[in-house]
Amino acid sequence: METAPYRKIIHVDMDAFFASVEQRDNPDLRGKPVAVGGSRERGVVAAASYEARQYGVRSAMSSLVAIRKCPHLIFVKPRFEVYKAVSAQIRAIFAQYTDLIEPLSLDEAYLDVTERTNADLTATQIAQAIKERIREETQLTASAGVSYNKFLAKLASDYRKPDGLFVIKPHQGLAFVEQLTVGQFHGVGRVTAEKMNQLGIFTGLDLRQQTEAFLIRHFGKVGHHYYSIARAIDDRPVTANRVRKSVGSENTFAHDLTEEPELLAGLEPLIDDVWAYCERTGVYGRTVTIKVKYADFQQITRSRTALTILNTRSALHHVSTDLLTTVLPLPKPVRLLGVSISNLDTVTTSANGQLALDL
């Protein structure tokens, strides 16, 4: 029996996207530590330049802590409309190479280029061409990872940031994973990594030596996932152009969140992602759902259905933030937030300028 050919997946991740856009547009900020976000007492860093990261400043950090770490940190107010416009430029570049594009957020996406490669054009060459086009057209840098599944492609894109390109070939996958610390695995947060360490699991090799039953017993259903990725297995397809019953965006944070300002800051780009889809497609919804996954992987959702279509970003923002307040105060740290809308309808603008449903 013939084995199925390996897929060719690229993960493209913009380097310090929000902060890099600000440094591009304001030469005075170049080479300086920059934080996008609010500098007030309850402000939160939404993004940090690489210069700021050298001082330990990171996204979702409170502004007060960031200033203590880097007293000369420069705060810049977010310009989400600009970031969305640049993101659209980047996605147009992706579309020149494949139709199978799965955006994860404004600044990263998976691309399946299996059908576009041949003896004369490799996935690595496509990734390099995309990086060059992004630099030429936006004056920004991106890092790219190339591999045979999504898990490894994302690991690869992180491996040589910024402006990196790293390839993990099929015969290298297992060895690459086994030498990583579990904290380097995408989706394994600090609390989970500490729990693994307490169980004697420090590396990918340690994780691979555990039985699936052991991992499920200690980590619940996500133990299935850990069992697979420890073996460099990830069968998830790159999914594009799906018929949607809902539209959502979520993010697993590099560090667990514990404070309300951090949560609200983490919610903003998710709302932006969902609203960008609504504006681009003319599809809007009535039901808003937020998802909260805690550090111990317990997950809860909160939903609310409006009487009419939510046809403004402010309406979506109001319902989303209101739902978030229902889970406060937090019983434990949060590793993932998600926002989605459902009960979708297509909305167009009528001759008198009002929004009308397409029936």
Side-chain angles (χ1 to χ4, degrees):
M1 186 172 102
E2 291 187 10
T3 58
Y6 286 107
R7 293 178 296 157
K8 296 172 183 179
I9 310 297
I10 302 172
H11 180 259
V12 181
D13 192 6
M14 299 301 295
D15 298 321
F17 183 49
F18 295 174
S20 294
V21 170
E22 298 302 334
Q23 290 177 317
R24 179 197 69 177
D25 293 349
N26 184 350
D28 291 339
L29 298 177
R30 295 173 191 170
K32 297 177 182 178
V34 173
V36 175
S39 58
R40 294 171 298 181
E41 183 177 346
R42 290 179 64 82
V44 174
V45 175
S49 68
Y50 282 99
E51 295 86 356
R53 295 181 191 187
Q54 292 177 359
Y55 292 87
V57 178
R58 54 176 175 78
S59 60
M61 176 179 285
S62 76
S63 299
L64 288 179
V65 172
I67 291 171
R68 283 201 295 269
K69 289 180 174 290
C70 182
H72 55 296
L73 185 64
I74 302 170
F75 279 90
V76 179
K77 185 178 178 180
R79 298 183 297 152
F80 288 110
E81 291 303 318
V82 175
Y83 309 148
K84 286 191 286 186
V86 177
S87 179
Q89 279 185 277
I90 294 164
R91 291 184 189 178
I93 294 171
F94 296 160
Q96 299 297 311
Y97 297 90
T98 180
D99 294 327
L100 285 176
I101 304 165
E102 183 180 334
L104 301 179
S105 61
L106 290 176
D107 63 345
E108 63 175 318
Y110 288 112
L111 289 70
D112 187 331
V113 297
T114 306
E115 300 301 322
R116 294 297 303 271
T117 57
N118 53 46
D120 299 318
L121 184 66
T122 67
T124 304
Q125 289 170 330
I126 291 175
Q128 183 62 50
I130 288 172
K131 280 170 49 65
E132 292 172 358
R133 288 276 302 278
I134 289 173
R135 185 190 293 272
E136 290 170 3
E137 297 185 26
T138 71
Q139 294 76 56
L140 299 170
T141 65
S143 293
V146 182
S147 197
Y148 56 96
N149 64 42
K150 292 165 77 171
F151 172 68
L152 291 174
K154 186 166 179 64
L155 286 176
S157 70
D158 285 339
Y159 203 63
R160 286 186 177 162
K161 268 185 164 291
D163 197 20
L165 173 58
F166 191 72
V167 181
I168 303 174
K169 296 180 179 180
H171 69 276
Q172 300 170 326
L174 204 58
F176 183 84
V177 169
E178 71 180 22
Q179 53 88 31
L180 296 177
T181 64
V182 290
Q184 292 176 285
F185 280 35
H186 174 62
V188 175
R190 177 180 56 82
V191 173
T192 302
E194 289 176 356
K195 182 176 180 179
M196 287 184 176
N197 292 167
Q198 291 168 1
L199 294 169
I201 303 170
F202 296 93
T203 67
L205 178 59
D206 295 334
L207 188 61
R208 196 172 83 229
Q209 291 172 339
Q210 311 307 316
T211 66
E212 188 171 18
F214 175 88
L215 294 174
I216 293 170
R217 184 165 70 251
H218 288 281
F219 299 101
K221 288 189 292 185
V222 77
H224 292 290
H225 176 64
Y226 294 152
Y227 182 82
S228 295
I229 61 175
R231 289 156 178 76
I233 297 170
D234 180 6
D235 295 326
R236 294 173 300 157
V238 173
T239 308
N241 301 320
R242 292 174 290 184
V243 176
R244 293 178 179 264
K245 294 183 179 180
S246 65
V247 178
S249 180
E250 62 183 40
N251 185 36
T252 300
F253 301 101
H255 303 272
D256 297 330
L257 308 186
T258 58
E259 303 295 333
E260 180 180 350
E262 296 179 317
L263 292 170
L264 291 171
L267 204 63
E268 288 295 331
L270 307 181
I271 294 170
D272 279 316
D273 280 354
V274 172
W275 186 247
Y277 177 88
C278 295
E279 287 190 312
R280 185 171 67 251
T281 62
V283 174
Y284 300 81
R286 291 194 302 119
T287 300
V288 179
T289 302
I290 66 162
K291 177 166 71 173
V292 179
K293 184 180 290 185
Y294 296 110
D296 62 0
F297 288 91
Q298 179 194 1
Q299 180 176 300
I300 62 171
T301 59
R302 297 288 184 269
S303 297
R304 183 173 301 165
T305 300
L307 294 176
T308 59
I309 289 289
L310 299 169
N311 55 29
T312 66
R313 186 194 181 281
S314 62
L316 175 61
H317 182 272
H318 174 75
V319 177
S320 301
T321 53
D322 201 34
L323 285 170
L324 185 62
T325 62
T326 66
V327 304
L328 300 174
L330 290 175
K332 44 197 166 186
V334 170
R335 73 187 308 268
L336 176 148
L337 278 179
V339 176
S340 64
I341 57 169
S342 52
N343 281 332
L344 303 179
D345 278 301
T346 302
V347 178
T348 58
T349 304
S350 62
N352 63 9
Q354 298 183 54
L355 291 173
L357 294 181
D358 284 346
L359 300 178

